[in-house]
Amino acid sequence: MLDERKKRILGAVVHNYITTAVPVGSRNIAKKYKLGLSPATIRNCMADLEELGYLAHPHTSAGRIPTDKGYRFYVDSLMEQEDLSSEEKRKIEKEYSHKMNRIDEIMEETSQVLSLISHYTGLILAPNLEKSIFHHLELVSLENGRILSILITGSGLVKNKIIEAEEILPEERLEEILDLINDRLSNLPLKRIKEFISDQLKIKTYSVKIWELMNQIFTWDGAEELYLRGRINILEQPEFKDLTRTKSIFQALEEKRLLVEVLSRPTPSEGVRVLIGKETRCRKIRDLSLVTSTYSINGRPVGILGVIGPRRMEYSKVVSLVDFTAKIVSEVLTDLSHTTKVYG
Amino acid sequence: MLDERKKRILGAVVHNYITTAVPVGSRNIAKKYKLGLSPATIRNCMADLEELGYLAHPHTSAGRIPTDKGYRFYVDSLMEQEDLSSEEKRKIEKEYSHKMNRIDEIMEETSQVLSLISHYTGLILAPNLEKSIFHHLELVSLENGRILSILITGSGLVKNKIIEAEEILPEERLEEILDLINDRLSNLPLKRIKEFISDQLKIKTYSVKIWELMNQIFTWDGAEELYLRGRINILEQPEFKDLTRTKSIFQALEEKRLLVEVLSRPTPSEGVRVLIGKETRCRKIRDLSLVTSTYSINGRPVGILGVIGPRRMEYSKVVSLVDFTAKIVSEVLTDLSHTTKVYG
DNA sequence: ATTAGCACTCTCATTTAACGAGTGCTAACT
DNA sequence: AGTTAGCACTCGTTAAATGAGAGTGCTAAT
């Protein structure tokens, strides 16, 4: 375990590096942070911290920069959460003040807010359909036996899908099955609906065709939607002025699949999660950090939002931002889910 | 008018600059293009072309680069369209070979294709709702008098909108009005529907509430959807290694409104349109060129697609690409529109 | 244990010089 | 008269040289 002095010096180095982006030297620390120590002492201490793996040298005779381990310790033990300024809070609340009826508006707005306030890249993963609650299904027959299905979830998400039925189904038959579904399955999690379809519907007298149809309606390509805003903010950071590296990072940010994969990893704990550099376990974004939180509807977590930016991120502020935003989004979505019950 | 020699030399300069991105000198031209002229002669000629405004000097003792006027002349009179290789054609057709039922899939696919083949940035503006044909409307009552409207166009575009009705409307009333709309207005351009609503519906005995409701359904925020792919390809070009300028270009590319504005300008002519540098009449993208074409459904133009890239673009190839892609997209959408007639 | 002092290292910015591509002009050539 | 060769000149690019500055690590003194 680090002693008090080491902690304070590590904290000072990380803090200074985060704000200046310049490798920090002992003299600098001695001047800016009143630790009551001379540069020489600090130097010794920093050498120790380096040996312990918390700091690194870009080269001899340059200051130190934190390693991932250093950032990790800072985030876990040293940093104190820096509340958003009341102005920032106001700004966020204002963005959500006007009525939004559609989930995708809320997603757009949220990624925008996260990017705007953090000056990094904001992201939000749309509510996972699997975890959503079923509310209503509407079917419209199209030509050639194709059917447009409109699925409404408890959170107000509307999902359209066009289905090719092999055989044209009579209108009455559809009505019948539709009523059954809407009567019996309302408020069930979508995940459970497929089970129901397998169990109930198959046993009953309904034809295989209808079973297949329903199966198709409640199956969707797993491609969860990811909203990203403010990618250019990455270019703002001095460490990315070198183009070659920057380009590969942009490429990674264009690959939604990659980010979705990283984001959907099971969350070990409640609240805000911080992934630093290599901890993302993904080469392409190993120079970036990720601050995320789940957001929920009626207390049930349905999606993930957060900020992605340079390793040298203002964690103390971003953690607050992500936390705050997640709470607001949860509220907004929960409200929406209450007013989106199907009528009659 | 330029004489034959000037044309050939201008063509050579533009071509060479497009392929190498290096200001081109007389010696270079003399060697690579067999014009049967000595460097000195070419020099004189280039000096003339400069005076006429077709070429420019970055500085004395550097080669020439084309001006916008130079590119324009090249595109209009010199360039010969370079057909896509059969491999490229195959590649494109393959991308469209699997069944796509939803417009947005087609849009995603198309912007992707344009970016992939051109190595610049691909873009497509989704079909303009105003110009679309109405096919079917579906209404679902939600709690609190809110109504989910589902609008299906002839091209298979499905548009959801949640409407807040001030007063709860009885189900029968909705059914009634819905039948009227679907019976009478099918196959009308959406633009005309609003007129119909104003004229017919108002005169009849329907309440003001219903009129307002319909009005809301057929009114949408003009925000047309723009699909963009391959923005990073911009970084690929040597002229953008300077960051400050690049950043502002990226910012411009993030601003969809800006691009939508430029794209939706009325097209003067049929076929592929090329806008070079300043011709875009937009400061932020004055270093870029735009190659666009309309695409259509059943012969009626409904949207715009194209490629945006450096002024020094391979026009001869990109023009072919955009032309070809527009034709394919038109076919795909027209097919889709035929199979998306509402049943019964 | 802490600190002051000092030699040493390494980067970065600046200067300097050489280089070379390209021009523009003139005079010779066909 | 148009074309070409020759040549001086310009200017940007690149590489090497230089010096300043920041920072370290070690040693010896406090």
Side-chain angles (χ1 to χ4, degrees), chain B residues 5 36 38 40-41 43-44 59-61:
Chain B
R5 174 187 293 170
S38 77
T41 315
R43 266 204 293 287
N44 287 327
H59 54 86
T60 5
S61 87

Side-chain angles (χ1 to χ4, degrees), chain B residues 144-157:
Chain B
N144 296 340
R146 295 153 101 232
I147 294 167
L148 171 66
S149 77
I150 300 132
L151 183 63
I152 308 173
T153 74
S155 49
L157 184 65

Side-chain angles (χ1 to χ4, degrees), chain A residues 29-227:
Chain A
I29 296 272
K31 241 191 282 180
K32 284 196 202 156
Y33 303 80
K34 296 165 194 164
L35 303 177
L37 296 170
S38 77
T41 315
I42 294 173
R43 266 204 293 285
N44 287 328
C45 190
M46 279 161 87
D48 293 346
L49 284 167
E50 184 172 356
E51 209 168 342
L52 291 167
Y54 293 96
L55 295 179
H57 254 178
H59 54 86
T60 6
S61 86
R64 258 74 172 205
I65 61 173
T67 60
D68 286 354
K69 187 176 173 186
Y71 282 122
R72 171 52 60 199
F73 190 84
Y74 173 77
V75 168
D76 288 344
S77 319
L78 266 28
M79 166 185 99
E80 44 199 75
Q81 207 164 315
E82 183 190 329
D83 281 342
L84 298 174
S85 73
S86 57
E87 204 209 332
E88 286 166 330
K89 281 188 184 170
R90 205 159 3 96
K91 219 164 157 184
I92 296 175
E93 272 156 358
K94 197 183 135 214
E95 299 280 345
Y96 288 102
S97 64
H98 71 276
K99 196 82 182 165
M100 285 180 284
N101 279 330
R102 293 204 344 260
I103 293 258
D104 55 321
E105 291 176 77
I106 298 172
M107 298 292 114
E108 299 264 1
E109 195 61 55
T110 303
S111 53
Q112 179 78 6
V113 160
L114 287 167
S115 136
L116 229 57
I117 307 279
S118 71
H119 302 289
Y120 305 118
T121 304
L123 41 76
I124 181 163
L125 202 54
N128 188 333
L129 258 194
E130 293 272 349
K131 288 181 186 159
S132 295
I133 287 181
F134 170 70
H135 259 294
H136 193 79
L137 178 68
E138 200 71 16
L139 296 176
V140 180
S141 290
L142 307 177
E143 200 176 55
N144 296 340
R146 297 154 100 232
I147 294 167
L148 170 66
S149 76
I150 300 131
L151 182 64
I152 307 172
T153 73
S155 48
L157 184 64
V158 179
K159 202 96 183 171
N160 300 319
K161 190 174 181 183
I162 292 179
I163 289 137
E164 317 249 3
E166 287 174 20
E167 213 171 291
I168 294 175
L169 289 163
E171 194 76 23
E172 317 84 73
R173 211 84 173 100
L174 277 180
E175 292 282 335
E176 189 185 331
I177 196 81
L178 194 56
D179 285 348
L180 178 79
I181 299 259
N182 282 326
D183 281 359
R184 302 272 298 270
L185 302 184
S186 210
N187 287 326
L188 249 66
L190 281 169
K191 195 162 43 166
R192 299 271 295 282
I193 298 219
K194 281 198 87 169
E195 296 165 20
F196 176 88
I197 291 172
S198 299
D199 298 347
Q200 303 288 103
L201 225 53
K202 219 174 181 178
I203 296 168
K204 294 226 174 139
T205 57
Y206 297 102
S207 73
V208 178
K209 304 249 133 69
I210 288 189
W211 177 75
E212 265 174 5
L213 181 69
M214 287 300 123
N215 217 20
Q216 271 194 64
I217 289 175
F218 289 98
T219 305
W220 39 85
D221 29 354
E224 309 186 68
E225 273 196 287
L226 176 67
Y227 294 77

Side-chain angles (χ1 to χ4, degrees), chain B residues 66-224:
Chain B
T67 60
D68 286 354
K69 187 176 173 187
Y71 282 122
R72 169 54 59 200
F73 190 84
Y74 173 78
V75 168
D76 288 344
S77 319
L78 268 28
M79 165 185 99
E80 45 199 76
Q81 207 164 314
E82 184 190 330
D83 281 343
L84 298 174
S85 72
S86 57
E87 204 210 333
E88 285 167 329
K89 280 188 185 170
R90 205 161 1 98
K91 219 164 156 185
I92 295 175
E93 272 156 358
K94 198 183 132 213
E95 297 282 346
Y96 288 103
S97 63
H98 71 276
K99 198 79 184 167
M100 285 180 284
N101 279 331
R102 290 202 347 258
I103 293 260
D104 56 318
E105 290 176 78
I106 298 172
M107 299 292 114
E108 299 263 1
E109 196 60 55
T110 303
S111 53
Q112 179 79 6
V113 161
L114 287 167
S115 135
L116 229 56
I117 308 280
S118 70
H119 302 291
Y120 304 119
T121 304
L123 42 76
I124 181 164
L125 202 54
N128 187 333
L129 257 195
E130 293 272 348
K131 288 180 186 160
S132 294
I133 287 180
F134 169 70
H135 259 294
H136 194 79
L137 178 68
E138 200 71 15
L139 296 176
V140 181
S141 290
L142 307 177
E143 200 176 56
N144 296 340
R146 295 153 101 232
I147 294 167
L148 171 66
S149 77
I150 300 132
L151 183 63
I152 308 173
T153 74
S155 49
L157 184 65
V158 179
K159 202 94 183 174
N160 300 320
K161 190 173 180 184
I162 293 178
I163 289 138
E164 316 250 2
E166 286 175 20
E167 214 171 289
I168 294 175
L169 289 163
E171 195 76 24
E172 317 84 72
R173 210 84 174 101
L174 277 180
E175 293 280 335
E176 190 185 331
I177 196 81
L178 193 57
D179 285 347
L180 178 77
I181 298 259
N182 281 326
D183 281 357
R184 302 271 299 271
L185 302 185
S186 210
N187 286 327
L188 249 66
L190 281 169
K191 195 162 44 166
R192 300 271 295 282
I193 298 222
K194 280 197 88 170
E195 296 165 20
F196 176 88
I197 291 173
S198 299
D199 299 346
Q200 303 288 100
L201 224 53
K202 218 173 181 178
I203 295 168
K204 295 226 173 142
T205 56
Y206 298 102
S207 73
V208 178
K209 301 246 134 73
I210 287 189
W211 178 75
E212 266 174 5
L213 181 68
M214 286 300 123
N215 217 19
Q216 270 194 65
I217 288 175
F218 288 99
T219 305
W220 39 84
D221 30 354
E224 310 187 66

Side-chain angles (χ1 to χ4, degrees), chain A residues 277-291:
Chain A
K278 289 190 296 289
E279 293 175 3
T280 57
R281 288 182 2 237
C282 171
R283 297 209 71 214
K284 294 189 176 177
I285 54 170
R286 68 157 181 276
D287 286 328
L288 299 177
S289 282
L290 208 49
V291 177

